[in-house]
């Protein structure tokens, strides 16, 4: 097995640059598709494409830089990053800017930074480090400790209020626990608890969040108001059919019936223009990236790397599932972008840093003494 | 928990791999759920969503047709369509309408009238229909809004063709006018026919010919974006303009007629006896119809409505007056036909008539009486006693039957909206309406055109034309020809006529000659209007507005102006080959001979003598007529 691993690791220049070729190739392909859809969704806006290209370039650069950092270093940084992240969340809570009607941004003078994005990485890193310091599967007190470590940032983010991000952080933590091997009984218990907490959660939701859930259940009750997004995106996708209307031929998006068509609802543009066939191909590409991530996790040697890569991979999957599920009307509207395709830079950076970590782990195996 | 067993890295590795496989399966099945949903949306409900998508994208917009134009007999344009720019607010797209109007008022003037109309219309419109806040913007205001328009989402300038009547008050009672479709009208019209059309004929020719004038609505399918902006036209069915109408009316005669009536209340109707075409139709006073097209302000409207002279009231077709002595030639003719009297038979007038066995004295207008008279004399001098007796001899049934041939008591059926039919009283009518028996005295009163007997000026003119035609009654017509805009074909309107059963030609000639003597004869009641250029046949009338008691004397000076008698006059000329028949009513004009006859003379002069610049284009009816 050890021999196999050594053979499998990428040799030569790419190995020394800590690049995983299949992953890089898949990501580049995805970004190309993303830019093509975005070009249509923005109605050939060269300006927006330029900006997105710049962001992609920066994000890819960041990914390659992160890939150079050894997993060991990452492990050491886990605690400080987590602590800094939580402090920033508290700072947002106290002095946070008002951005988009909710306190999410922290103005650091030169750049405005969204601390909750950092936590998407810092929470799985912290949990992975926490579990790696003990044995697997984790003991009950450790599981409890992990829950506390997760609850603090999740609740702080939910208070901003940013339900989407807090759910993403929560799911990243959940995946870490799952991969750490907690017993199925415990998993069943958690799911039951979450299920029974739902009505309680309803009380804590903001009006607009409740509205979204209600609209998800019955979009036709307010077709021109809150239900508009859901209805228009389903019209876009449904009218696309099997083969789609063709690139630039989507009437729902080009005639501006579809709101947020370049950001959260870009999947509807894709579905309208490329049809079921296009979507199946796109989801296959996503699935290949997820499988590659899980493969890297399974092949990595230490608990920290495994848990972290596994969690980040599944976080990437949750992004895709929540976004597509929302656009096709399976899930309520939550502000989660379609990774690497939606216009915007915030989550792009987080995701690409995650892939940087995966590459770091994958290419670092050789040097690990096992 | 068996911690120790899991400390083995290989076991841990194996356990993690298993979990990773579970995670992979979870991802796979989740995507499977998404794809299952997509299959539902994109395959099974594709048709449904495609339809919705098309509905989103494609809007059908109506293309309103251009209303047909109206010309007079010489091709003078009487009603055209002129572009007008109005500022409209689309209520569904404006959040704060009050604030928007306040801001707009700094850009263009918005009067209280404008605001009131807006509020009134707002309740009648759908949310995404424009409601006009200002009509008839001038160029400066249009330009000003064009510059600042982007500050007012949901407010736009709308260009439309509005009806315009260049002859204003001269044609108000002849053409009628159009106005915005009101709630009642909206219920009656075919919604799709009037999609995009805001106006409809309200009165007169505009109303009677609404179907032809309106035209056919067109449609265009346009692609719109989510904000309703039209991006391109997908296909188009162009509208078909309404038919143009060519009237019998002579606008110069119309203006001259109004001038002859200047300062008086009343009506004049002039008809070409050869066609039944209305040459002039004046109701005085009149009003300018143009403000009604855009939407007249409340104060302006109330001023017109409450004016004591009632300018909005079309006296020519809706005014109902006793025909008074103008009915005498018709009754005389009836007497001849029924052999109650011969034309030369003499009757004595002693100033009054008494029914056998009754004490009541039915007085002649000349208290001393006319002495012995033939029918000609009694028509020329308008003797009442002669006609009391003739009416009594004929009996009310015969009288009514004969008068009905001339169109009395019924609407003429002219192609003009809202005509009234007058009233030809009969025993049956009296029993039905008043639940009283008919008294013999009422027959006498009928004989001099008084009592319950009412006619409209139009009926009177049409009957006079029939007299001129020796009994060929032609239903009066406003429109001579309609012009199909697509084919360019001119189509004459239908002639509706009948022959009045007076077979003896001599009877017509005799009565007409008596009417000629009214003007030509030395004792004629209208001798003052005698013309050296042609002979006029006429008959004066003086209708009592107010009844004098049995032994009172009528003292004009004491009677308030509005209680004075109405002056009437009917005439046609030239006697030998009639070209124009006229009925004149001057309200409170006292005597037909002095107040109404001169008006008729001016009208006839204008029509027969004035050679107009366009006379060589005058339709054939003027030159080719044979006189019968």
């Amino acid at each position: 097995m050890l021999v196999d691993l050594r053979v499998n690791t990428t040799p030569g220049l790419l190995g020394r640059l800590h690049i995983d070729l299949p992953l890089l190739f898949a990501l580049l392909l995805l970004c190309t598709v993303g830019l093509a859809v975005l070009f249509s969704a923005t109605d050939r806006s060269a300006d927006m494409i330029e900006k997105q290209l710049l962001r992609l370039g920066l994000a890819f650069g960041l990914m390659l830089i992160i890939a150079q950092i050894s997993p060991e270093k990452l492990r050491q940084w886990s605690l400080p990053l987590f602590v800094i992240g939580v402090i920033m969340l508290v700072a947002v809570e106290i002095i946070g800017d008002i951005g988009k009607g909710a306190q999410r941004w922290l103005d650091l003078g030169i750049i405005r930074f969204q601390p909750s994005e950092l936590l998407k990485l810092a929470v799985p890193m912290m949990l992975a480090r926490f579990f790696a310091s003990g044995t697997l599967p984790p003991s009950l007190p450790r599981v409890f400790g992990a829950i506390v470590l997760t609850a603090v940032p999740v609740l702080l983010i939910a208070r901003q209020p940013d339900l989407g991000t807090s759910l993403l952080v929560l799911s990243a933590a959940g995946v870490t626990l799952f991969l750490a091997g907690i017993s199925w009984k415990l998993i069943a218990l958690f799911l039951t608890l979450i299920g029974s907490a739902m009505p309680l959660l309803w009380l804590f939701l903001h009006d607009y969040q409740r509205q979204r859930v209600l609209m998800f259940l019955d979009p036709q009750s307010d077709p021109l108001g809150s239900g508009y997004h859901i209805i228009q995106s389903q019209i876009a996708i449904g009218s696309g059919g099997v083969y789609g209307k063709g690139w630039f031929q989507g009437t729902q998006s080009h005639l501006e019936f579809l709101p947020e068509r370049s950001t959260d609802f870009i999947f509807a543009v894709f579905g309208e223009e490329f049809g079921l066939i296009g979507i199946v191909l796109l989801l296959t590409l996503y699935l290949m990236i997820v499988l590659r991530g899980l493969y890297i996790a399974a092949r990595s040697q230490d608990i920290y790397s495994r848990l972290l890569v596994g969690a980040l991979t599944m976080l990437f999957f949750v992004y895709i599932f929540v976004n597509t599920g929302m656009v096709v009307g399976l899930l309520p509207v939550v502000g989660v972008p379609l990774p690497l395709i939606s216009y915007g830079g915030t989550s792009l950076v987080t995701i690409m840093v995650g892939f940087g970590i995966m590459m770091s782990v994958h290419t670092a195996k050789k040097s690990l003494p096992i | 928990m068996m911690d120790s067993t899991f400390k083995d890295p290989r076991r841990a590795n194996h356990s993690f791999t298993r979990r990773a496989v579970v995670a992979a399966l979870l991802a796979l099945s989740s995507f499977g759920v998404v794809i299952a949903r997509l299959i539902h949306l994109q395959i099974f409900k594709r048709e449904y969503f495609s339809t919705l998508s098309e509905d989103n994208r494609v809007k059908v917009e109506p293309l309103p047709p251009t209303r047909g134009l109206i010309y007079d007999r010489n091709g003078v344009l009487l009603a055209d369509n002129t572009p007008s720019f109005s500022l409209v607010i689309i209520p569904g797209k404006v959040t704060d309408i009050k604030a928007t109007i306040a801001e707009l008022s700094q850009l263009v003037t918005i009067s209280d009238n404008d605001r009131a109309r807006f509020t009134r219309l707002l309740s009648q419109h759908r949310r995404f229909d424009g409601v006009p806040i200002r009509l008839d913007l001038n160029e400066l205001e249009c330009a000003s809004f064009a510059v600042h328009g982007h500050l007012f989402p949901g407010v736009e300038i709308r260009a439309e063709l509005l009806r315009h009547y260049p002859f204003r008050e001269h044609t108000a009672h002849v053409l009628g006018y159009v106005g915005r479709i009101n709630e009642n009208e909206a219920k009656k019209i075919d919604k799709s026919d009037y999609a995009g059309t805001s106006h409809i004929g309200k009165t007169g020719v505009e109303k009677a010919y609404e179907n032809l004038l309106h035209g056919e609505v067109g449609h265009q399918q346009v692609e719109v974006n989510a904000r309703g902006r039209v991006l391109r036209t997908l296909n188009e069915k162009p509208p078909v303009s309404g038919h143009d109408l060519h009237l019998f009316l002579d606008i110069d005669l119309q203006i001259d007629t109004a001038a002859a009536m200047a300062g008086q209340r009343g009506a004049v109707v002039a008809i070409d006896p050869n066609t039944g075409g209305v040459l002039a139709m004046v109701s005085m006073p009149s009003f300018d119809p143009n403000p009604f097209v855009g939407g007249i302000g409340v104060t302006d409207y109330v001023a017109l409505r409450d004016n004591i002279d009632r300018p909005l009231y079309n006296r020519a077709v809706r005014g109902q007056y006793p025909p008074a002595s103008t009915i005498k030639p018709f009754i005389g003719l009836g007497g001849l036909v029924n052999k109650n009297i011969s034309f030369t038979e003499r009757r004595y007038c002693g100033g009054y008539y008494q029914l056998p066995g009754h004490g009541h004295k039915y007085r002649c207008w000349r208290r001393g009486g006319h002495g012995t008279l033939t029918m000609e004399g009694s028509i020329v001098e308008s003797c009442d006693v002669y006609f009391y007796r003739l009416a009594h001899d004929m009996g009310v049934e015969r009288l009514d039957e004969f008068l009905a041939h001339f169109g009395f008591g019924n609407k003429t059926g002219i192609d003009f909206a809202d005509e009234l039919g007058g009233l030809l009283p009969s025993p049956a009518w009296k029993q039905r309406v008043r639940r009283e028996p008919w008294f013999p005295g009422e027959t006498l009163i009928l004989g001099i055109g008084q009592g319950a007997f009412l006619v409209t000026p139009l009926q009177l003119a049409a009957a006079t034309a029939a007299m001129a035609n020796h009994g060929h009654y032609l239903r009066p017509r406003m429109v001579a020809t309609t012009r199909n805009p697509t084919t360019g074909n001119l189509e004459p309107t239908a002639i509706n006529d009948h022959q009045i059963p007076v077979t003896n030609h001599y009877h017509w000639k005799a009565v007409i000659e008596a009417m000629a003597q009214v003007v030509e004869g030395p004792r004629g009641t209208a001798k003052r209007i005698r013309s050296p250029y042609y002979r006029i046949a006429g008959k004066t009338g003086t209708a009592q507005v107010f009844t004098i008691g049995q032994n009172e004397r009528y003292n004009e000076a004491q009677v308030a102006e509005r209680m004075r008698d109405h002056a009437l006059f009917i005439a046609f000329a030239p006697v030998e080959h009639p070209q124009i028949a006229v009925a004149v009513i001057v309200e409170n004009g006292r005597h037909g001979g002095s107040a109404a006859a001169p008006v008729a003379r001016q009208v006839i002069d204008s029509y027969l003598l004035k050679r107009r610049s366009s006379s060589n284009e005058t339709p054939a009816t003027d030159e080719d007529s044979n006189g019968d």
Side-chain angles (χ1 to χ4, degrees):
Chain A
M1 200 174 205
L2 287 178
V3 176
D4 282 347
L5 285 173
R6 284 174 198 278
V7 170
N8 257 357
T9 50
T10 324
L13 185 66
L14 287 172
R16 251 175 280 139
L17 286 174
H18 299 272
I19 291 173
D20 179 41
L21 202 58
L23 199 54
L24 182 69
F25 182 72
L27 290 175
L28 283 173
L29 187 58
L30 193 57
C31 289
T32 312
V33 172
L35 283 170
V37 184
L38 191 65
F39 196 39
S40 174
T42 59
D43 220 3
R44 297 184 170 87
S45 164
D47 184 47
M48 286 174 82
I49 292 298
E50 211 171 281
K51 277 185 187 159
Q52 187 70 359
L53 258 175
L54 193 68
R55 288 193 193 111
L56 282 171
L58 287 172
F60 267 82
L62 193 61
M63 175 183 79
L64 294 181
I65 291 168
I66 298 291
Q68 312 309 313
I69 303 167
S70 74
E72 179 55 23
K73 276 259 167 49
L74 292 172
R75 198 184 67 84
Q76 287 166 12
W77 290 355
S78 299
L79 182 60
L81 266 179
F82 180 78
V83 172
I84 290 169
V86 172
I87 288 172
M88 281 171 139
L89 281 181
V90 175
V92 165
E93 178 74 24
I94 297 166
I95 56 160
D97 255 359
I98 304 294
K100 283 190 175 180
Q103 294 192 356
R104 294 177 186 178
W105 300 87
L106 196 61
D107 202 335
L108 298 181
I110 311 161
I111 51 158
R112 301 211 310 168
F113 179 71
Q114 209 170 343
S116 55
E117 282 299 321
L118 176 64
L119 269 300
K120 284 179 192 165
L121 297 170
V123 166
M125 281 170 86
M126 182 63 215
L127 290 187
R129 183 191 181 280
F130 184 60
F131 288 136
S133 65
T135 56
L136 286 188
S139 62
L140 217 51
R142 273 188 177 269
V143 170
F144 185 73
I147 290 172
V148 174
L149 281 175
T150 310
V152 172
V154 166
L155 289 178
L156 280 170
I157 295 169
R159 268 182 65 87
Q160 286 181 350
D162 187 350
L163 201 63
T165 306
S166 67
L167 283 176
L168 282 171
V169 173
L170 189 66
S171 57
V175 169
T176 318
L177 277 171
F178 174 77
L179 292 174
I182 59 167
S183 71
W184 286 104
K185 277 186 211 158
L186 215 50
I187 293 168
L189 180 70
F190 283 154
L191 290 179
T192 317
L193 278 177
I194 291 171
S196 52
M198 279 299 179
L200 206 68
L201 186 65
W202 180 257
L203 298 176
F204 290 98
L205 286 181
H206 282 253
D207 279 343
Y208 83 91
Q209 290 165 336
R210 289 181 186 177
Q211 192 68 20
R212 281 182 180 179
V213 176
L214 289 177
M215 275 311 132
F216 161 66
L217 296 173
D218 183 16
Q220 294 298 342
S221 65
D222 187 8
L224 292 175
S226 326
Y228 188 76
H229 281 52
I230 303 172
I231 293 170
Q232 295 301 334
S233 82
Q234 292 189 26
I235 292 174
I237 291 178
S239 64
V242 175
Y243 303 104
K245 294 176 184 171
W247 197 25
F248 287 111
Q249 304 300 312
T251 54
Q252 282 290 102
S253 49
H254 286 282
L255 303 177
E256 303 172 29
F257 290 102
L258 188 65
E260 299 190 41
R261 56 198 168 275
S262 57
T263 54
D264 288 358
F265 281 83
I266 197 164
F267 186 63
V269 178
F270 188 88
E272 185 184 20
E273 299 196 347
F274 300 106
L276 186 60
I277 291 177
I279 288 180
V280 169
L281 290 176
L282 179 69
L283 288 182
T284 307
L285 185 56
Y286 272 127
L287 191 67
M288 281 163 62
I289 293 171
V290 169
L291 291 180
R292 181 71 187 170
L294 289 175
Y295 174 78
I296 290 172
R299 285 300 167 100
S300 60
Q301 296 303 299
D302 61 311
I303 294 172
Y304 175 78
S305 300
R306 260 182 221 158
L307 290 181
L308 180 57
V309 171
L312 292 177
T313 302
M314 290 312 283
L315 177 66
F316 180 71
F317 156 74
V318 169
Y319 262 105
I320 302 159
F321 180 65
V322 170
N323 179 274
T324 55
M326 159 185 94
V327 172
V328 301
L330 284 173
L331 298 173
V333 174
V334 183
V336 171
L338 187 64
L340 299 175
I341 291 186
S342 284
Y343 182 77
T346 314
S347 66
L348 181 66
V349 168
T350 314
I351 288 162
M352 293 308 276
V353 167
F355 284 117
I357 291 171
M358 287 184 212
M359 290 193 175
S360 149
V361 166
H362 192 49
T363 54
K365 275 182 288 193
K366 266 194 298 198
S367 51
L368 281 178
I370 293 181
Chain B
M1 291 281 160
M2 293 173 287
D3 284 358
S4 56
T5 50
F6 288 89
K7 281 173 186 167
D8 172 8
R10 288 195 179 196
R11 284 298 297 271
N13 193 17
H14 188 62
S15 157
F16 179 85
T17 309
R18 272 203 327 237
R19 286 287 163 102
V21 169
V22 172
L25 289 175
L26 179 75
L28 195 63
S29 55
S30 303
F31 284 177
V33 170
V34 170
I35 286 178
R37 171 75 178 168
L38 285 162
I39 288 171
H40 172 71
L41 294 177
Q42 297 191 301
I43 294 178
F44 297 116
K45 296 193 79 176
R46 192 219 162 146
E47 204 116 310
Y48 170 72
F49 285 117
S50 292
T51 311
L52 288 182
S53 164
E54 282 296 295
D55 281 354
N56 262 349
R57 179 174 84 93
V58 177
K59 291 265 176 298
V60 176
E61 293 206 325
L63 296 170
T66 307
R67 197 173 177 84
L69 304 177
I70 305 177
Y71 300 92
D72 91 335
R73 69 187 297 119
N74 297 316
V76 179
L77 192 55
L78 304 181
D80 61 350
N81 304 304
T82 55
S84 161
F85 299 94
S86 47
L87 201 57
V88 299
I89 293 180
I90 296 148
K93 291 184 182 172
V94 175
T95 40
D96 187 345
I97 289 178
K98 266 191 183 162
T100 304
I101 293 177
E103 283 169 47
L104 279 174
S105 66
Q106 298 177 353
L107 216 57
V108 297
T109 45
I110 295 172
S111 69
D112 287 345
N113 261 344
D114 290 329
R115 284 169 213 265
R117 181 190 49 238
F118 178 80
T119 315
R120 181 162 48 84
L121 293 176
L122 187 60
S123 57
Q124 302 170 6
H125 277 245
R126 285 167 293 178
R127 262 167 62 78
F128 288 93
D129 277 353
V131 181
I133 176 73
R134 241 308 292 281
L135 305 167
D136 211 14
L137 296 170
N138 61 35
E139 269 178 49
L140 198 69
E141 288 170 320
C142 281
S144 168
F145 186 81
V147 173
H148 300 285
H150 65 278
L151 299 172
F152 298 96
V155 181
E156 43 192 62
I157 286 186
R158 185 163 296 173
E160 56 182 345
L161 287 174
L162 276 194
R163 200 56 144 181
H164 177 244
Y165 303 104
F167 291 95
R168 299 191 295 184
E169 72 276 7
H170 288 305
T171 57
H173 287 308
V174 149
L175 302 178
Y177 56 86
V178 300
R180 289 189 189 275
I181 298 169
N182 65 28
E183 266 175 289
N184 280 334
E185 288 157 345
K187 281 178 204 150
K188 289 178 200 148
I189 56 176
D190 182 340
K191 285 255 161 35
S192 58
D193 270 0
Y194 279 80
T197 301
S198 53
H199 287 68
I200 193 168
K202 297 276 182 182
T203 59
V205 170
E206 291 274 25
K207 185 176 179 184
Y209 283 88
E210 177 61 31
N211 287 342
L212 278 181
L213 286 168
H214 174 60
E216 277 173 51
V217 68
H219 289 282
Q220 59 175 358
Q221 276 194 323
V222 291
E223 185 173 74
V224 295
N225 67 11
R227 278 166 297 192
R229 202 161 67 85
V230 174
L231 303 179
R232 63 194 169 115
T233 303
L234 300 173
N235 67 58
E236 185 180 311
K237 175 185 174 283
V240 180
S241 300
H243 286 60
D244 293 339
L245 306 182
H246 294 264
L247 304 187
F248 286 104
L249 194 85
D250 183 323
I251 188 63
D252 293 321
L253 179 65
Q254 176 80 2
I255 291 169
D256 287 348
T257 306
M261 286 289 285
Q264 288 173 304
R265 292 182 308 280
V268 180
V269 177
I271 287 179
D272 178 352
N274 305 291
T275 59
V278 173
L279 300 171
M281 189 162 86
V282 164
S283 174
M284 293 293 280
S286 189
F287 64 99
D288 182 358
N290 289 308
F292 284 83
V293 177
I296 190 167
V298 174
T299 43
D300 291 344
Y301 177 70
V302 167
L304 279 174
R305 188 192 63 192
D306 296 347
N307 186 319
I308 187 172
D309 290 337
R310 302 181 66 195
L312 297 177
Y313 173 47
N314 190 340
R315 291 163 163 87
V317 295
R318 294 180 64 80
Q320 301 184 105
Y321 306 88
S325 303
T326 59
I327 205 69
K328 286 173 182 167
F330 301 95
I331 290 175
L333 188 64
L336 296 178
V337 171
N338 284 292
K339 300 190 167 42
N340 299 103
I341 195 162
S342 78
F343 192 69
T344 49
E345 191 177 333
R346 292 176 174 270
R347 290 273 161 84
Y348 176 74
C349 167
Y352 62 89
Y353 178 77
Q354 277 176 308
L355 280 167
H358 288 74
H360 187 96
K361 289 178 174 171
Y362 295 89
R363 296 190 178 280
C364 186
W365 64 270
R366 179 178 285 181
R367 289 192 72 79
H370 289 92
T372 314
L373 289 167
T374 59
M375 183 179 287
E376 176 169 308
S378 64
I379 289 175
V380 169
E381 296 188 46
S382 199
C383 173
D384 289 340
V385 168
Y386 183 94
F387 285 96
Y388 287 143
R389 175 157 174 209
L390 179 55
H392 179 70
D393 291 348
M394 272 182 86
V396 64
E397 279 82 8
R398 287 281 173 82
L399 212 48
D400 279 351
E401 190 195 334
F402 189 73
L403 290 175
H405 290 314
F406 285 89
F408 295 115
N410 278 304
K411 291 180 183 179
T412 63
I414 189 177
D415 46 352
F416 194 91
D418 305 324
E419 175 200 11
L420 289 182
L423 176 63
L424 184 57
S426 67
W429 161 82
K430 198 178 177 198
Q431 189 60 47
R432 191 177 71 245
V433 176
R434 299 206 180 143
R435 308 218 165 278
E436 282 174 15
W438 183 263
F439 299 117
E442 289 175 271
T443 310
L444 307 192
I445 299 296
L446 190 59
I448 62 159
Q450 294 279 172
F453 193 8
L454 295 173
V455 300
T456 65
L458 176 69
Q459 282 178 320
L460 210 47
T464 307
M467 180 70 85
N469 274 348
H470 290 214
H472 184 208
Y473 183 95
L474 286 148
R475 179 156 82 188
R477 283 182 290 164
M478 296 302 300
V479 177
T481 51
T482 61
R483 184 181 163 277
N484 184 321
T486 324
T487 60
N489 288 347
L490 287 167
E491 188 161 328
T493 53
I495 292 173
N496 186 308
D497 60 348
H498 63 263
Q499 188 62 43
I500 294 167
V502 179
T503 44
N504 190 338
H505 235 45
Y506 171 73
H507 291 160
W508 289 109
K509 285 196 169 146
V511 172
I512 287 169
E513 187 50 36
M515 287 178 73
Q517 289 307 314
V518 170
V519 179
E520 304 293 326
R523 302 176 73 93
T525 49
K527 62 183 183 216
R528 70 174 69 193
I529 68 159
R530 188 193 300 169
S531 164
Y533 304 107
Y534 51 82
R535 294 216 311 150
I536 300 175
K539 182 68 194 84
T540 56
T542 302
Q544 283 175 20
V545 173
F546 130 123
T547 318
I548 334 159
Q550 185 66 45
N551 292 307
E552 288 174 59
R553 290 205 59 156
Y554 181 80
N555 185 339
E556 283 177 6
Q558 284 172 1
V559 180
E561 199 259 335
R562 290 193 189 256
M563 294 306 239
R564 288 177 193 157
D565 294 345
H566 294 328
L568 289 88
F569 191 66
I570 58 169
F572 61 88
V575 174
E576 294 70 27
H577 46 100
Q579 309 215 5
I580 181 169
V582 186
V584 178
I585 286 175
V586 178
E587 287 184 8
N588 315 117
R590 293 192 189 132
H591 296 293
S594 58
V599 173
R601 166 75 193 275
Q602 286 183 56
V603 172
I604 296 168
D605 273 356
S606 167
Y607 188 67
L608 295 181
L609 300 182
K610 251 194 189 174
R611 296 327 287 177
R612 303 190 178 92
S613 56
S614 59
S615 61
N616 44 355
E617 294 167 22
T618 310
T621 47
D622 267 6
E623 299 300 322
D624 294 357
S625 55
N626 305 322
D628 48 2

